[in-house]
Amino acid sequence: MAKTAQKAAAGKITRVAILGFGNVGSSVAQLLRAQRFAGIELTHIYNRDVERKRTGATAKGLNAGIVWTENIKDVLSAKVDVIIETIGGIDPIEGWLKAALRSGKHVVTANKQLIAYKGAGLAKLARDNNRVLVYNAAVAGGVPVIPATLHGLQGDRITRLSGILNGTCNFMLSHMEQGAEYADVLKQAQAAGYAEADPSADVDGFDARAKLCILVRAAMQFGINPDEVPAQTIRNVGAIDFAYAKELGCTVRQIARAEYRGTTLHARVAPMLVPKTSPIAWSHGTQNMVVTTGDFGGDVVFSGHGAGGNPTAVAIVSDLLAVVHGSNSVSLPVRRKVVTGEFLAPHYLRFIVRDKPGIVSAISGALTKVGANIDSILQRPGYPKDALPFVVTTEPCLTSTVEKAVRLIAKMDTMLEKPLCLQMLTEDDRAED
Amino acid sequence: MAKTAQKAAAGKITRVAILGFGNVGSSVAQLLRAQRFAGIELTHIYNRDVERKRTGATAKGLNAGIVWTENIKDVLSAKVDVIIETIGGIDPIEGWLKAALRSGKHVVTANKQLIAYKGAGLAKLARDNNRVLVYNAAVAGGVPVIPATLHGLQGDRITRLSGILNGTCNFMLSHMEQGAEYADVLKQAQAAGYAEADPSADVDGFDARAKLCILVRAAMQFGINPDEVPAQTIRNVGAIDFAYAKELGCTVRQIARAEYRGTTLHARVAPMLVPKTSPIAWSHGTQNMVVTTGDFGGDVVFSGHGAGGNPTAVAIVSDLLAVVHGSNSVSLPVRRKVVTGEFLAPHYLRFIVRDKPGIVSAISGALTKVGANIDSILQRPGYPKDALPFVVTTEPCLTSTVEKAVRLIAKMDTMLEKPLCLQMLTEDDRAED
């Protein structure tokens, strides 16, 4: 069984290379400089066009002996014990990290896409080479939900995960809650450096989806293909939806959720209505939040900074320390699992119509036809009759059932926009008393 | 460095003994039965008067081959790999666990008093015998704040911890928030099984203090003597204080907090005023909550069930799995540290007086004399003049400074009760945006 940490760490210098010297990579270097952990030495930094980095402000104060290189082979062939990867993306990183593991290097990575799509193979390669592969920084940045799950919740049977895993969307939606429109908050997020010029990875849910898959694997021991998890964009959410959500005691957030019922794993990333009483609604700005629900331990809530150089660097350096101290993660057997994006949930439907008699009856007819029951109909006053928003909420039913009705309704000639259909989180997700 | 978990766990059966078959011990046994983790076998159960336990309802369905004993030597001399201790208290448990470590057994314990007072010595003994000592269940029950800290936040420099670490007090105070008086909620907590017949460990802060010391060690790497941490009782908090707290945008909670500034470690367990906007005010009922603040990662919030058989069993069984899978904790060097209970904070002072002219002037005179500035004076209408409650809040000053003034004020012949003096958590402890 375990050797003591002291013994594992004693006397030996651990040589560390950082791949990628952007915001996260340079924060890792500066954190290591500030903390001066015994026995850890930063020896290599790889970046394209590296001279610009070496002479830049973020390199200030770093050890003069560090080898700066733009040739990955300089790192892979060097006497380095741990590679820290902060570049992102699958190609060419997958090949580089495989080469690193094969040449006896441990790997710490913040790369969510790589781990979500290729994590199982990399983990096997690490085991076969008796090396460690850790990626706590890949999910929720500075919020240690992966280590907490792997070391503190494996005794439970986790049946539900709900979270806010994309700080950019949370920033945008919590600003829209104050009345702004999507296009304006996107510009604001881009100006603040939270959103990319092409924001699709964030707003269309691909970033949160990769993180959700990693979390499902760590907490529920299910291996799933990210492409099988439906991701719904937040681009169609408008200020009007926050106004209606408020009337329903809710707000709107991009939610990543998974639930295991019977033999079926449900998973989805989408904008959803969240009760204001839910801990998930506590998250503001770029914060991340995860709620795990276990059969034995009940709900556990984690929240904090999901992104940013320093919080992500904390996760990476904590992983590095775990490698240095010989800490293994508990790894229970993982089963492959097919996913459905269906949830049995109440749904929120928002329509923009050219008002004329009979619309409500046509909509309720379409819902009745598929077997969905209306729970409430909301129409706020003060909107023009020629572009009238109104909202229908349903009793709990399957998402595919509602979407069938929505496809029928969308064909009505009075519909000015594609109707918006959102799942509503229920009181089950509320903080317990 | 690390061996892979698979290798460490492969093939071997880990034989486990449980000491104490009360609520937590029996929950551990039932959780192991339900989860059927590969390679783990419960072989021994120790309890006083064991026959009653063996034939009781909580033993239902357990393996018939388990050895039930009321003689600790039967366990200590047996071929057992891991001892799970759920009895509590220092004597005789310390001796038993030392004997277990010396005879080559790993130890998993939920014993907060033992770890707070004797943890450093036991950890050394474990290292010397190449065994593992883990105690995640000792702090915040089912909330994995210890593993999250040890595996996910060691890269940060944690400078502040604030938390709700005693579910009994939180249950009582969150019920007092609804208007009930202390004596009534104590009876209610006792009837619900949350509070003991002698509630002092909970209400006088000794339970939370032990947990705070363990958390300080794990998160800040400071070894402190629990007896040096001031613990202030909640017995003097009345419904009236919740009414005044509400006017100040606050509620009252038993808070365990530590803060490292410059070279001084501040730590205290006491009822405090908490802004309603603080994540700490989110905790209701028996929930636990911890907020860590790091120089690099900022605030991280953890919340969930702090007590109860099943949540605590999740922590214990997760520890057991970590032992089985050969997981070492990161253990950075711990420094001994002297503690002060002083905080530079605004303070809340509540007086019950026989009203007569000049009282406010006398009180403000006493505060001025010690150099404390009044921030607000609150007097709610509708109370009798012969037992009039009123409240003064101060600008930030040291607790000892305010207490000096309070001692002067307490001598005034119009004071009907000892004045109540509470620290107020400030906006710094608020959720960040």
Side-chain angles (χ1 to χ4, degrees), chain B residues 27-268:
Chain B
S27 296
V28 169
Q30 292 296 347
L31 197 163
L32 287 173
R33 184 176 80 96
Q35 291 277 59
R36 303 172 175 280
F37 294 107
I40 294 179
E41 191 184 339
L42 176 58
T43 60
H44 291 73
I45 293 173
Y46 162 89
N47 205 88
R48 278 186 306 181
D49 195 6
V50 76
E51 201 49 26
R52 178 177 50 96
K53 296 290 185 181
R54 196 182 64 77
T55 55
T58 56
K60 208 177 155 194
L62 297 185
N63 193 332
I66 292 171
V67 177
W68 295 76
T69 180
E70 51 200 11
N71 183 350
I72 189 66
K73 287 179 188 160
D74 289 346
V75 178
L76 293 176
S77 63
K79 197 173 155 298
V80 160
D81 301 299
V82 184
I83 295 230
I84 292 174
E85 188 266 310
T86 69
I87 299 173
I90 294 177
D91 191 39
I93 307 301
E94 185 188 11
W96 295 357
L97 297 188
K98 281 183 170 173
L101 290 167
R102 285 199 192 99
S103 68
K105 297 171 177 62
H106 302 286
V107 170
V108 176
T109 176
N111 192 328
K112 54 202 166 263
Q113 295 295 347
L114 180 67
I115 296 301
Y117 283 92
K118 306 289 183 179
L122 284 166
K124 184 176 181 313
L125 185 64
R127 279 197 304 276
D128 291 347
N129 286 277
N130 205 19
R131 298 294 92 177
V132 176
L133 168 74
V134 269
Y135 41 80
N136 299 332
V139 180
V143 189
V145 58
I146 295 279
T149 302
L150 289 179
H151 297 272
L153 294 176
Q154 297 288 295
D156 208 345
R157 190 190 293 135
I158 305 289
T159 53
R160 188 165 57 190
L161 298 168
S162 325
I164 289 175
L165 295 175
N166 182 277
T168 306
C169 286
N170 209 54
F171 173 87
M172 292 173 64
L173 294 171
S174 57
H175 277 69
M176 288 178 73
E177 194 174 336
Q178 263 104 72
E181 283 294 355
Y182 175 86
D184 299 322
V185 296
L186 176 58
K187 271 181 213 148
Q188 212 180 327
Q190 284 166 330
Y194 297 139
E196 311 276 333
D198 172 4
S200 53
D202 292 322
V203 301
D204 298 338
F206 308 130
D207 173 87
R209 182 170 75 173
K211 294 167 176 169
L212 179 65
C213 292
I214 298 171
L215 205 47
V216 163
R217 188 179 186 90
M220 295 172 142
Q221 294 91 46
F222 290 131
I224 55 178
N225 178 350
D227 294 334
E228 291 175 7
V229 177
Q232 181 180 346
T233 185
I234 67 162
R235 293 178 201 251
N236 310 324
V237 176
I240 180 74
D241 297 306
F242 285 91
Y244 277 109
K246 196 175 172 188
E247 290 196 11
L248 294 160
C250 294
T251 185
V252 182
R253 291 288 185 266
Q254 187 203 52
I255 302 297
R257 67 192 296 215
E259 190 165 340
Y260 186 60
R261 287 192 180 222
T263 57
T264 307
L265 182 66
H266 309 258
R268 189 182 188 89

Side-chain angles (χ1 to χ4, degrees), chain A residues 1-7 12 14 31 34-35 37 81 106 126-127 130-132 136 142-144 147-148 151-157 282 284-287 289 296-305 310-311 314-315 317-319 321-332 432-433, chain B residues 1-7 12 14 31 34-35 37 81 106 126-127 130-132 136 142-144 147-148 151-157 282 284-285 287 289 296-305 310-311 314-315 317-319 321-332 431-433:
Chain A
M1 292 191 188
K3 295 176 294 180
T4 65
Q6 266 70 4
K7 268 194 203 165
K12 182 164 173 352
T14 301
L31 197 162
Q35 292 278 60
F37 294 107
D81 301 298
H106 302 287
R127 280 197 303 275
N130 205 18
R131 298 293 93 179
V132 176
N136 299 332
V143 188
H151 298 271
L153 294 177
Q154 297 288 295
D156 208 343
R157 190 188 294 134
W282 300 341
H284 289 282
T286 60
Q287 284 199 318
M289 156 84 66
F296 299 95
D299 284 3
V300 181
V301 180
F302 304 88
S303 144
H305 294 283
N310 277 335
V314 166
V317 173
S318 298
D319 268 358
L321 289 167
V323 172
V324 170
H325 287 251
S327 169
N328 286 316
S329 290
V330 175
S331 64
L332 297 176
E432 291 156 296
D433 277 340
Chain B
M1 291 193 186
K3 295 177 295 180
T4 67
Q6 266 70 2
K7 269 193 202 168
K12 185 165 171 350
T14 301
L31 197 163
Q35 291 277 59
F37 294 107
D81 301 299
H106 302 286
R127 279 197 304 276
N130 205 19
R131 298 294 92 177
V132 176
N136 299 332
V143 189
H151 297 272
L153 294 176
Q154 297 288 295
D156 208 345
R157 190 190 293 135
W282 300 341
H284 289 282
Q287 285 199 318
M289 157 84 64
F296 300 95
D299 284 2
V300 181
V301 180
F302 303 88
S303 146
H305 294 284
N310 277 335
V314 166
V317 174
S318 299
D319 268 357
L321 289 168
V323 172
V324 170
H325 287 250
S327 168
N328 286 315
S329 292
V330 175
S331 65
L332 298 176
E432 293 156 294
D433 278 337

